[in-house]
Every structure is written in structure tokens, then in C-alpha cells.
Amino acid sequence: MITMKDIIREGHPVLRQVAKEVQLPASIEDKETLTNMLQFVINSQDPEIAEKHQLRPGVGIAAPQIGISKRMFAVHAYDENDTLYSYGLFNPKVISHSVEENHLDGGEGCLSVDREVQGIVPRHARITVKGTTIEGEEVKLKLKGYIAIVFQHELDHLDGIMFYDRIEGFQDPLKKTL
Ligand code: UDB
Ligand code: ZN
């Protein structure tokens, strides 16, 4: 079972790497890892399990956050209409997005960031994502609102991008200036 001790924190180079594509069909090992990632998110939202193992209630996690530089993430979250989006995806890719932007009014946090970083994180308002599920099915998801933001946050991890990189005027003290 994945717990907080398995989660890589900011400053670790793996969070800044561009993750590698997963070879498909996925190996049993990759499928198990992704299943465990999805289970971590589900567990973290269960008040009893979260309390027992001291888990931060999460909505998504990307493989680099457990030290695995592969293009896969898990999301388990409800949208504004209480529709559940529960996915483990291999090689997710944004195939189109709106010009219109959106953001969470309260800003964002991250399981890999143990401090509060304030500021608006601009995201695409709508995205279409393609990917392969744990079961090996190719899916095309049209997302908007909160869920679109969660997916973009996780997708960014696969490209070594932290949410605060997108806050206007923000300087990461750990990132070397270009
Ligand atoms: C989170 N959780 O998981 F609206 F049940 C955040 C943390 C960093 C605070 C743990 C979160 O938003 N929880 C949440 C929100 C709800 C209802 C609920 C639980 N992430 C995921 C992450 O770090 N992935 O890499 C941060 C989110 C900020 C915006 C999108 C992802
Ligand atoms: Zn994150």
C-alpha cells in the first residue's frame, strides 16, 4: 500500500524530469503500480484509512511522485455535478484544449509540496485527453471545470512541471534560473 512516506517531495530531481512513455500493452508491474496509485487516492479519501495512515486527502497522483519516471497517473475525484471520475491512465495526452482559461479560486496545492504556495494557477478551461486505462482500453475524455484542472495538474507532473511554475511572477527557489 502506498502511504505518504512513498511520496517524493519537491527538490527531488525526478519531479523535474520528463517522464518516459509506458510500453503498451502495459506490463503486469506497470498495471500493479497504477492500480496501487489509484487505490492510494481512494484510500486517502476514506476518513478512517486516512486517519489511520495519516494520508492527505488527495484527488490524483502521478507516477513521478512515487519516484517512477513513467507517463501514468491516477485520478479519483468528483466534478461539480457529483459525477465521479476514477481513472488510471497510461500515456495520457491532451489532444485539444480551449483557448479560454480557468483556475481554482483558492489556488492549488500538491502532495509533493509540504507548504502553502499562494497564487492563481491558470489552466485551460476545457481539454480533450486520450489515454489507455489499466484494463487496456483506449479512452478519449472531454473534460471541463474542476476535473479538467485536476487532469492538467497531473499531466504537468509527467513533464516535470510543478503547479507554482504557472503562477505569474513566481520564482521557485529550488529551480535554477534559465
Ligand atoms: C491533491 N487534494 O490531492 F475538493 F475530497 C490535493 C492536496 C495537495 C491538498 C492533497 C485535494 O485537492 N483534495 C480534495 C479536494 C476536494 C475534495 C476532496 C479532496 N492534489 C493532487 C496532487 O498533488 N497531485 O499531484 C492537488 C490538487 C490541486 C489542484 C488539482 C490537484
Ligand atoms: Zn501534484
Side-chain angles (χ1 to χ4, degrees):
M1 162 175 178
I2 296 172
T3 61
M4 298 309 292
K5 68 169 168 31
D6 300 304
I7 295 180
I8 303 293
R9 306 305 156 91
E10 60 178 332
H12 193 296
V14 73
L15 290 174
R16 289 309 195 173
Q17 288 166 10
V18 176
K20 294 251 182 349
E21 293 266 311
V22 177
Q23 288 263 84
L24 298 179
S27 65
I28 290 168
E29 192 187 352
D30 287 341
K31 282 196 243 185
E32 278 178 358
T33 301
L34 191 50
T35 302
N36 289 339
M37 287 164 53
L38 184 57
Q39 193 59 53
F40 163 80
V41 182
I42 295 170
N43 286 343
S44 77
Q45 292 179 29
D46 181 310
E48 276 165 27
I49 302 174
E51 163 76 25
K52 181 159 185 254
H53 299 278
Q54 292 296 302
L55 307 177
R56 280 177 88 185
V59 287
I61 188 169
Q65 292 181 277
I66 54 166
I68 298 172
S69 195
K70 291 187 181 180
R71 304 190 74 82
M72 54 192 196
F73 68 65
V75 166
H76 186 85
Y78 296 84
D79 73 1
E80 293 82 351
N81 303 313
D82 281 337
T83 302
L84 174 64
Y85 286 76
S86 188
Y87 287 99
L89 289 183
F90 293 113
N91 301 332
K93 198 173 160 35
V94 173
I95 57 165
S96 69
H97 65 79
S98 61
V99 173
E100 190 192 330
E101 294 189 335
N102 189 19
H103 61 264
L104 295 178
D105 286 334
E108 297 186 12
C110 181
L111 287 165
S112 297
V113 178
D114 291 326
R115 59 191 174 109
E116 260 197 61
V117 183
Q118 293 190 9
I120 294 301
V121 183
R123 303 283 188 189
H124 303 302
R126 296 174 296 282
I127 55 171
T128 303
V129 177
K130 259 191 180 180
T132 301
T133 64
I134 302 174
E135 293 74 33
E137 264 183 278
E138 269 192 56
V139 288
K140 185 165 130 182
L141 306 170
K142 290 192 173 187
L143 308 170
K144 60 179 164 63
Y146 175 64
I147 289 296
I149 290 172
V150 175
F151 271 68
Q152 288 172 81
H153 177 111
E154 303 311 337
L155 279 154
D156 268 353
H157 280 303
L158 307 183
D159 292 322
I161 299 168
M162 301 296 285
F163 72 95
Y164 45 71
D165 298 345
R166 299 193 179 280
I167 297 173
E168 199 186 332
F170 192 83
Q171 282 271 16
D172 179 0
L174 300 164
K175 192 173 150 191
K176 295 197 181 72
T177 42
L178 301 173

